[in-house]
Amino acid sequence: MLKFVKGPLESIDGVSIFPIISLLIFFIFFTALFWWVFTAKKDYIKKVSDIPLDLEDENSLEINQKQNRS
């Protein structure tokens, strides 16, 4: 299977730069993500982590209000 991919790619001039670019993009992205995780404010992380619970509370409140109207 690899020979079907590797053969045509070897005939392209400068194709060896693409794996290097891919590795650099991968490394830069995960380095930036790692940096962001450790420098993010704890209050922001707490606020964002509570969003699903807040939405669930709002939905249950709306359902209860609709049932009370009926």
Side-chain angles (χ1 to χ4, degrees):
M1 178 71 181
L2 185 60
K3 65 182 176 180
F4 295 117
V5 175
K6 189 177 178 183
L9 289 178
E10 288 177 344
S11 63
I12 300 172
D13 291 334
V15 77
S16 63
I17 192 71
F18 292 110
I20 296 168
I21 292 171
S22 300
L23 181 63
L24 284 175
I25 291 171
F26 177 82
F27 181 75
I28 290 169
F29 173 77
F30 281 102
T31 303
L33 188 65
F34 185 77
W35 174 79
W36 179 81
V37 166
F38 282 103
T39 60
K41 294 182 179 180
K42 302 303 178 201
D43 293 336
Y44 175 76
I45 300 295
K46 178 69 176 157
K47 178 182 172 184
V48 172
S49 67
D50 287 340
I51 289 175
L53 298 175
D54 292 342
L55 292 176
E56 193 173 285
D57 290 341
E58 289 176 11
N59 289 338
S60 64
L61 181 62
E62 290 175 8
I63 291 170
N64 288 337
Q65 288 175 349
K66 287 180 182 178
Q67 288 176 349
N68 290 339
R69 291 180 194 164
S70 301

